[in-house]
Amino acid sequence: MLLVGLTGGIGAGKSTVSALLAGHGAEIIDADAIVRELQEPGSPVLAQMAERFGAHVILDDGSLDRAAVAAVVFGDSEEARAARADLNGIVHPALQREIRSRIEALSDTDRIVILDFPLLAENPRDDLDATIVVDVDPDIAVERLVAFRGMDADDAQRRIASQIDRAARRAIATHVIDNSADEAELDRRVGEVWDDLLRLRAEG
């Protein structure tokens, strides 16, 4: 198994790159998807979140009101930073246990396994054979978040500001994918990176 980290700031296009890598044959472990599973109605993680942030973060159908949580944890105030730390303290231990379980299940295979993890720079790992960072100018990220996710521009900027900065994220990279151009260029660059991962696996 070749274990590769994949990360990028919000709006960078990490999910698109993940899908392209899957198309080349990679096995994807998607941290965001795991978090959604951990936060399903009735789960221990959801109960802890309701205890910390209030019952209003649970919708009438028992599911998580993600917008209500985002309103509390995204921002640069001391209160928002403390709330974000508390949220990470609730979610991350359960997330890391599940990630570890999924990696172990693939450890004896010859797969190229992509750990798609937005907070990889904030939570570095020592078991990765390579790390891909999807990078884009923050202004472009804001434009895309407004255009494709319907976000308010100020909200998009707050979310970007709450994340680790570009230089720190790029510093952990063995491969940087610049996603500021068009889809054809992104596809070409992902293909280059995939070829390099194949080479790394072959070298063993």
Side-chain angles (χ1 to χ4, degrees):
M1 177 187 72
L2 189 78
L3 183 59
V4 181
L6 171 65
T7 194
I10 186 171
K14 176 182 60 62
S15 296
T16 301
V17 170
S18 181
L20 290 170
L21 289 167
H24 282 285
E27 180 81 27
I28 308 295
I29 298 176
D30 185 337
D32 281 346
I34 294 172
V35 168
R36 287 192 291 273
E37 293 173 16
L38 294 170
Q39 294 171 340
E40 287 178 350
S43 67
V45 167
L46 191 59
Q48 292 177 60
M49 291 177 65
E51 182 177 351
R52 166 59 180 86
F53 299 109
H56 71 282
V57 303
I58 308 296
L59 295 168
D60 290 342
D61 64 0
S63 63
L64 179 63
D65 185 342
R66 299 183 188 282
V69 176
V72 176
V73 303
F74 289 116
D76 198 36
S77 68
E78 191 64 36
E79 184 177 0
R81 285 194 293 270
R84 193 157 60 246
D86 288 345
L87 176 63
N88 289 340
I90 293 168
V91 174
H92 278 215
L95 171 62
Q96 293 300 337
R97 284 193 297 271
E98 182 61 26
I99 286 173
R100 185 164 55 249
S101 174
R102 297 191 188 194
I103 290 173
E104 287 174 355
L106 293 161
S107 61
D108 291 332
T109 73
D110 66 350
R111 303 298 302 274
I112 295 178
V113 179
I114 305 293
L115 174 56
D116 181 343
F117 191 13
L119 300 180
L120 191 57
E122 294 90 331
N123 299 272
R125 302 178 64 94
D126 60 6
D127 58 349
L128 300 176
D129 298 298
T131 300
I132 301 167
V133 171
V134 186
D135 186 56
V136 73
D137 183 277
D139 290 339
I140 295 175
V142 169
E143 290 175 7
R144 290 175 177 172
L145 290 168
V146 171
F148 301 119
R149 294 203 205 173
M151 275 191 189
D152 174 78
D154 289 339
D155 182 34
Q157 289 169 343
R158 280 194 299 272
R159 294 198 187 204
I160 291 171
S162 73
Q163 297 182 326
I164 199 167
D165 65 54
R166 287 176 76 191
R169 193 180 290 113
R170 289 174 66 107
I172 71 167
T174 57
H175 301 76
V176 174
I177 293 179
D178 182 346
N179 188 21
S180 58
D182 57 20
E183 292 181 11
E185 174 60 22
L186 179 64
D187 189 50
R188 185 197 66 77
R189 177 61 181 139
V190 170
E192 287 181 346
V193 171
W194 179 254
D195 287 344
D196 201 42
L197 297 180
L198 292 173
R199 179 184 59 77
L200 288 173
R201 184 180 64 177
E203 291 173 352

